[in-house]
Amino acid sequence: MGAGTRMLARLALAGALLGAAVASAAPVAVTVTNHTRPTRCAEEDNVTFTLSAPGIEQFRVEALQPAYIGAIRDNHFAPDFSGCDFSGRGNAADPHYTFTPRHKVLYQGRRTRIVGITLPSFWRPARVPVRVAGRADTGFHLIQIFRKTHGHFVESMVLYPADGYWRIKPLPAPGLRDSGYGSSFLVGPIENEGRPVVDIASIDITPAPLSVVLNFVQGGRAVATLEKIDTTRTALRFTLLPGSSGRRPFAMLRSMYVAPHNADVSEVRWRDGTNSAGRAEPLPAVTTLYATDVRFGRSVPSRHNTSAPDMRFSDFQKDR
């Protein structure tokens, strides 16, 4: 066992021990703040929700099938630029750094495949070292993780090392060959460089059981462990080492909302620990809330990314 593999095993063990230490504690509430701005462009991440609280050391992030998943007949994935104008801001205004394209299988197992992709251009110059099953590489813009289902591999999550974004989704629901991504999220020390980012110094991935260690440029790390992946949900448990300071968000949801029928997120459902029934509001009506469990989702089918999952953040834990 190499030094890198031993270190990864120790970090995963630290996360597991911390989980055991706080698992019996009651979930705590965090501050969820809506920074969304209006847009008519379905390809613009205009939705931003921050999650903040001091001392958070563990929480769960889930991708859940939308309530209407069984009624989908037309599963729309195609981009929609009909209401877009990127002049002076947004994706078209981003810097473009050039790279030599690559597509490399970093791990191939019976049920899991991990692929690294370097794009011809990207908006940030960072080349983040990545270690997968003890093998080192660098410079990937996407780390794709596939899970085998019904005889073929389906992408279930992707991590962007150069800016820290995650996207996850459940395995396809019965009757669908695949499902779309929708919202993305960030975990760690979030900075603003024209858009929110997390600067990652290095990444260590253990394929089976799946765990991902993010070592941050500013210090500290996050350990993500796969709790569940099936046709109803994909669930990751995050352990922050050290816990959140409370001076900045420890997590952020990024998404798109034009109208209820054209959105990756159109409503927010949450519990605050005092009302077991929970509450729900349309996304534009939400400002700041305190939640032990918050779900960003849709009840009305969207004409864009129709099968994209709802995103839920829950089980926030502190070291008491």
Side-chain angles (χ1 to χ4, degrees):
M1 181 183 291
T5 303
R6 289 195 296 271
M7 176 60 74
L8 181 56
R10 287 197 292 270
L11 290 172
L13 177 60
L17 291 174
L18 180 57
V22 300
S24 60
V28 298
V30 303
T31 302
V32 182
T33 305
N34 186 1
H35 302 275
T36 299
R37 51 180 175 75
T39 187
R40 293 183 294 177
C41 175
E43 301 302 322
E44 181 181 4
D45 278 349
N46 66 308
V47 172
T48 301
F49 280 88
T50 57
L51 286 78
S52 306
I56 298 297
E57 294 190 326
Q58 281 204 11
F59 59 100
R60 180 183 295 115
V61 182
E62 296 169 275
L64 303 151
Q65 301 287 13
Y68 56 78
I69 190 69
I72 291 177
R73 296 297 176 262
D74 296 315
N75 193 11
H76 296 286
F77 295 99
D80 176 9
F81 293 102
S82 59
C84 300
D85 177 8
F86 288 127
S87 58
R89 64 180 179 85
N91 296 336
D94 285 338
H96 288 272
Y97 298 89
T98 59
F99 302 86
T100 301
R102 278 203 302 161
H103 180 285
K104 183 176 181 180
V105 177
L106 304 175
Y107 174 82
Q108 179 67 63
R110 185 176 63 86
R111 299 185 61 201
T112 301
R113 176 187 295 159
I114 302 176
V115 174
I117 294 178
T118 303
L119 301 172
S121 66
F122 199 72
W123 77 284
R124 302 192 83 206
R127 299 174 185 265
V128 178
V130 176
R131 186 180 296 271
V132 180
R135 297 183 178 89
D137 211 318
T138 192
F140 298 114
H141 297 120
L142 291 80
I143 302 295
Q144 299 171 301
I145 299 176
F146 297 78
R147 180 57 63 99
K148 194 170 188 178
T149 179
H150 300 299
H152 67 281
F153 283 94
V154 175
E155 187 180 320
S156 57
M157 66 182 74
V158 61
L159 169 63
Y160 294 77
D163 57 15
Y165 280 75
W166 293 79
R167 303 180 92 180
I168 64 176
K169 61 181 181 178
L171 297 178
L176 298 179
R177 181 168 179 81
D178 202 354
S179 55
Y181 287 115
S183 305
S184 55
F185 65 93
L186 295 158
V187 172
I190 298 168
E191 302 288 338
N192 195 320
E193 294 190 11
R195 70 176 75 170
V197 299
V198 169
D199 285 319
I200 300 172
S202 64
I203 299 172
D204 290 290
I205 301 175
T206 298
L210 181 67
S211 66
V212 181
V213 178
L214 307 179
N215 299 295
F216 300 123
V217 169
Q218 296 187 18
R221 58 183 60 92
V223 181
T225 55
L226 180 65
E227 288 190 331
K228 186 78 172 179
I229 179 168
D230 59 21
T231 58
T232 62
R233 67 181 182 130
T234 290
L236 292 173
R237 174 169 291 278
F238 283 88
T239 301
L240 301 178
L241 303 165
S244 60
S245 67
R247 294 189 299 272
R248 70 174 88 191
F250 63 85
M252 176 182 288
L253 179 95
R254 297 274 286 161
S255 194
M256 179 279 292
Y257 174 89
V258 177
H261 63 277
N262 188 10
D264 291 344
V265 170
S266 60
E267 63 186 24
V268 183
R269 297 179 177 273
W270 75 96
R271 301 176 191 275
D272 62 10
T274 61
N275 183 357
S276 60
R279 295 182 59 186
E281 293 284 353
L283 183 145
V286 176
T287 53
T288 298
L289 56 91
Y290 302 94
T292 58
D293 182 321
V294 59
R295 177 168 176 163
F296 306 94
R298 302 175 292 188
S299 296
V300 177
S302 173
R303 74 184 193 203
H304 182 255
N305 293 338
T306 310
S307 59
D310 293 359
M311 298 299 301
R312 180 186 182 197
F313 295 75
S314 65
D315 199 21
F316 306 104
Q317 301 282 356
K318 290 184 178 182
D319 181 4
R320 295 168 186 256

